[in-house]
Amino acid sequence: MKKIVCVIAIILISITATAQKKKVAVVTFYADKQIDMKDVGMDGAALIAELLDDPTFNLQPLVDKFHDKFFNDYAKKFPFELVSEATVTGNTEYQSFKPEHAPGHEAGSYVVAEGYTAINHNYGKNNETELLKIFNDVDGIMFVFITFEMNKGFGIGGTATTKMRAYTNIVLYNKAGKKVFTINENANSKKTGVMVGGVPVMKPEKLLPMCESALDKLMKDLDKRIAKITKKSDKKL
């Protein structure tokens, strides 16, 4: 009899814990093709414009790789649940949502995971406010995106090595529109490129392996840290 009571108690505790677990909707998942060139001493506008028009500079496989890692591995380490992606991407209001201040949309610089809209959380509060209205039955909304930066390494004169640095921003807001946490992690690529005459080589076949190398290192680093970073975040939801 005591065993039966104990089993029932464990089941009830488990059901209660599950019922109380907070729910979060990931509302954007994308990468920006516009590589930050400031560290190599140039704005790189013309070079970046060429990349944006070049179909061989394809970041989609990298976005998909990070997406799978995020939902298959990182999500299990959060102290809250992520609602199904279909709940977000299949929402008709979300599908018709037009983000405020969306630089890069017209130029095609954003590469999104399937079904998502690229939404930047850094421009005012309207994007967060409107998305919280659309997903008013969750405890928070999350923005996930990747950016890249080219860094100058060792060199003499106008000849030098370069590395790619990958950044991820994972930002969570609660129902009140207050920021719960910002994860801003970065990592350098093991693969290197070169600068010749002070100008970095920007061929897609050289850049893509550098971007992938940086992202792989970033994912490994994040895998070790994400549980610790988000440990107490459910209390702020």
Side-chain angles (χ1 to χ4, degrees):
M1 184 67 180
K2 287 183 178 179
K3 288 184 178 179
I4 295 174
V5 172
C6 287
V7 170
I8 292 173
I10 290 170
I11 292 172
L12 288 173
I13 291 170
S14 177
I15 291 172
T16 302
T18 302
Q20 291 177 343
K21 205 161 190 181
K22 302 293 179 66
K23 296 186 181 296
V24 169
V26 176
V27 294
T28 192
F29 205 109
Y30 69 93
D32 193 340
K33 290 177 71 175
Q34 297 189 82
I35 298 171
D36 189 328
M37 306 284 285
K38 294 186 184 68
D39 193 64
V40 293
M42 57 194 305
D43 62 17
L47 294 173
I48 292 169
E50 289 182 20
L51 278 180
L52 296 182
D53 291 334
D54 192 332
T56 63
F57 184 57
N58 181 18
L59 292 180
Q60 192 67 58
L62 276 66
V63 172
D64 294 342
K65 178 190 284 192
F66 188 60
H67 168 274
D68 292 346
K69 180 71 173 175
F70 185 90
F71 283 96
N72 294 333
D73 295 336
Y74 300 156
K76 296 174 184 176
K77 300 181 180 184
F78 292 141
F80 47 78
E81 291 182 1
L82 298 181
V83 301
S84 72
E85 291 187 272
T87 300
V88 176
T89 60
N91 184 297
T92 54
E93 287 184 84
Y94 176 78
Q95 291 170 354
S96 60
F97 178 68
K98 302 298 181 186
E100 181 181 38
H101 301 295
H105 275 269
E106 297 79 5
S109 72
Y110 291 164
V111 181
V112 297
E114 186 177 359
Y116 287 96
T117 296
I119 304 167
N120 196 316
H121 74 99
N122 287 323
Y123 297 90
K125 285 287 184 182
N126 284 348
N127 285 340
E128 296 93 75
T129 301
E130 293 305 314
L131 286 165
L132 283 165
K133 289 179 183 177
I134 294 173
F135 300 105
N136 56 18
D137 56 345
V138 298
D139 299 290
I141 56 173
M142 183 180 287
F143 298 73
V144 184
F145 58 97
I146 313 164
T147 57
F148 294 95
E149 175 187 81
M150 183 171 285
N151 292 323
K152 186 176 180 180
F154 176 78
I156 300 173
T159 303
T161 61
T162 59
K163 283 197 173 187
M164 192 67 69
R165 179 173 291 173
Y167 289 84
T168 185
N169 281 267
I170 303 171
V171 188
L172 175 63
Y173 291 89
N174 63 20
K175 293 183 76 168
K178 293 183 179 180
K179 195 178 291 185
V180 175
F181 65 66
T182 299
I183 299 174
N184 190 351
E185 294 286 311
N186 65 84
N188 277 331
S189 62
K190 290 183 179 180
K191 293 185 178 293
T192 60
V194 294
M195 291 178 67
V196 180
V199 179
V201 174
M202 297 288 284
K203 293 179 180 179
E205 62 267 27
K206 297 292 184 182
L207 291 179
L208 280 172
M210 292 170 67
C211 289
E212 185 169 19
S213 174
L215 185 61
D216 286 346
K217 179 65 168 59
L218 173 61
M219 288 192 295
K220 288 179 182 177
D221 292 348
L222 195 58
D223 206 17
K224 299 173 185 175
R225 288 174 44 78
I226 200 162
K228 183 178 180 180
I229 295 171
T230 64
K231 185 178 181 181
K232 298 180 180 180
S233 58
D234 60 323
K235 296 178 181 179
K236 297 180 181 179
L237 282 171

